[in-house]
Amino acid sequence: MIAPMGKQQDVGGPDRHSRSGTTAHRAIGGSADARLALAQDPATPQMTLFDLASDPSAVVRKAVAARADAPAQALRPLTRDHDRQVREAVARNPSTSVANLLRLVRDADRWVRWAVAGNPACDESVRRVMSEAPDKELRGLLAEMRELEPDLAARLIDDVSPEVRERLATHTHDPDVITALMADRTVRVRKGVARNPRTTAEQRRALAQDPVIDVRAALVRAVELDEADLERLVHDRSVQVRLAMATSEVIPPHIRRALGRDPDEMVAGAARDFRPASGNSPVIRGARGHRRSGTGPGRPGGAA
């Protein structure tokens, strides 16, 4: 049961949590747990939420920051809160204004910046700031966005970081971007293209003939190939490529049976012993024409 609230008092002067120096608030009595319950209660009036945004407890302020119905005037000072988790909660809040997202995407803390990238309210103006950020991970999160403006994608094609270009290669829906990245001299970037299910049959044929083993191995693990490409790759000079085929979820049964007769016993054994996954395979069987994988827990934004 929520403890009774103490009498609200007007407290003038600067808000020591927002450091804005402009916000006056009323202190709300009761224990921190009671104030947290109040901050989380859907029935709490917006004016009370405004007061709770200046609460001494960071947990309470974070609860306000996470509310989609929090008043804009309450969220604004929380974008400058000294507690990182409070600012991150604002950055994740889908009701946060674009102006506040523009402030948070430049935040000194990387987790706050990365949270902005996953906010559905992140618009073109925010993405443009991300494209110019010195933070490589932030640009990488941008590269994984489906609704990426063509001029921003074109900028990322020449990004100084191979990781950013790889993530763009793996996630882009733009056929011109795919074509440009196929010519990238960095192997990991071409591997990214090989994993992209939106490549055309012609692009996959070119990737199947890439001089680097890792690119061909990534291709056979990730996407379905035409019969002519499969027939060529089943006799690939690299054991690594043939082994990747033998254990790939997207290789058709007749090709796997052929690999079961491979002169390399490791390849042949892997093909004969192969058992399909239980439906949880990360492999994407994309259309051959002209998708978004995530980043996983180690990579913010949820892209894998």
Side-chain angles (χ1 to χ4, degrees):
M1 181 174 179
I2 299 175
M5 296 295 102
K7 184 178 179 180
Q8 296 183 353
Q9 300 177 0
D10 291 329
V11 180
D15 182 338
R16 68 181 181 277
H17 300 295
S18 70
R19 297 180 180 176
S20 65
T22 60
T23 304
H25 67 278
R26 292 171 295 174
I28 296 179
S31 68
D33 287 344
R35 299 195 309 276
L36 175 60
L38 188 61
Q40 295 172 332
D41 186 348
T44 298
Q46 288 206 342
M47 285 308 298
T48 304
L49 292 177
F50 183 82
D51 296 333
L52 289 168
S54 298
D55 195 271
S57 168
V59 175
V60 174
R61 299 197 307 277
K62 180 181 176 182
V64 175
R67 288 188 61 142
D69 62 343
Q73 298 93 327
L75 293 179
R76 183 177 303 167
L78 294 179
T79 64
R80 298 183 294 273
D81 197 279
H82 63 76
D83 188 282
R84 185 264 293 175
Q85 293 190 2
V86 174
R87 302 196 309 280
E88 185 178 346
V90 181
R92 295 187 186 281
N93 190 328
S95 296
T96 299
S97 69
V98 170
N100 282 335
L101 291 178
L102 286 169
R103 180 180 296 113
L104 291 165
V105 79
R106 298 181 176 95
D107 195 273
D109 189 280
R110 58 182 180 171
W111 294 104
V112 175
R113 299 192 300 269
W114 297 346
V116 172
N119 193 313
C122 176
D123 71 356
E124 180 180 353
S125 64
V126 181
R127 289 192 288 270
R128 291 196 176 279
V129 173
M130 292 173 65
S131 72
E132 300 169 354
D135 182 349
K136 176 184 70 173
E137 180 62 33
L138 191 59
R139 301 196 310 276
L141 290 169
L142 175 67
E144 294 181 347
M145 291 184 178
R146 178 168 182 168
E147 304 301 330
L148 184 59
E149 289 71 20
D151 62 317
L152 297 185
R155 180 181 299 176
L156 294 177
I157 287 172
D158 298 316
D159 195 275
V160 66
S161 167
E163 180 186 340
V164 173
R165 303 198 307 275
E166 176 192 11
R167 292 166 73 171
L168 178 65
T170 305
H171 294 88
T172 184
H173 287 246
D174 190 324
D176 294 332
V177 173
I178 292 175
T179 298
L181 292 172
M182 284 182 65
D184 197 291
R185 289 186 292 181
T186 302
V187 171
R188 68 182 296 178
V189 177
R190 300 201 305 279
K191 284 176 63 178
V193 177
R195 293 191 296 268
N196 191 325
R198 290 163 296 275
T199 48
T200 64
E202 292 73 20
Q203 289 168 335
R204 295 179 186 189
R205 185 166 298 115
L207 290 164
Q209 300 176 59
D210 193 282
V212 177
I213 292 170
D214 285 350
V215 175
R216 303 197 303 276
L219 180 72
V220 299
R221 291 190 190 101
V223 297
E224 296 173 341
L225 298 168
D226 286 345
E227 187 67 22
D229 298 324
L230 291 169
E231 292 290 348
R232 184 185 305 110
L233 289 165
V234 80
H235 300 296
D236 195 276
R237 64 184 180 276
S238 168
V239 170
Q240 180 181 332
V241 174
R242 303 198 309 275
L243 182 61
M245 293 184 75
T247 56
S248 171
E249 291 279 343
V250 295
I251 294 300
H254 71 282
I255 294 295
R256 204 179 316 276
R257 286 194 295 270
L259 289 166
R261 301 186 294 272
D262 194 275
D264 186 284
E265 185 52 40
M266 182 171 61
V267 175
R272 290 192 298 264
D273 297 339
F274 175 80
R275 297 292 181 272
S278 59
N280 296 321
S281 172
V283 175
I284 300 172
R285 293 167 176 80
R288 297 193 181 180
H290 288 303
R291 167 221 122 154
R292 169 171 178 176
S293 66
T295 56
R299 249 186 236 290

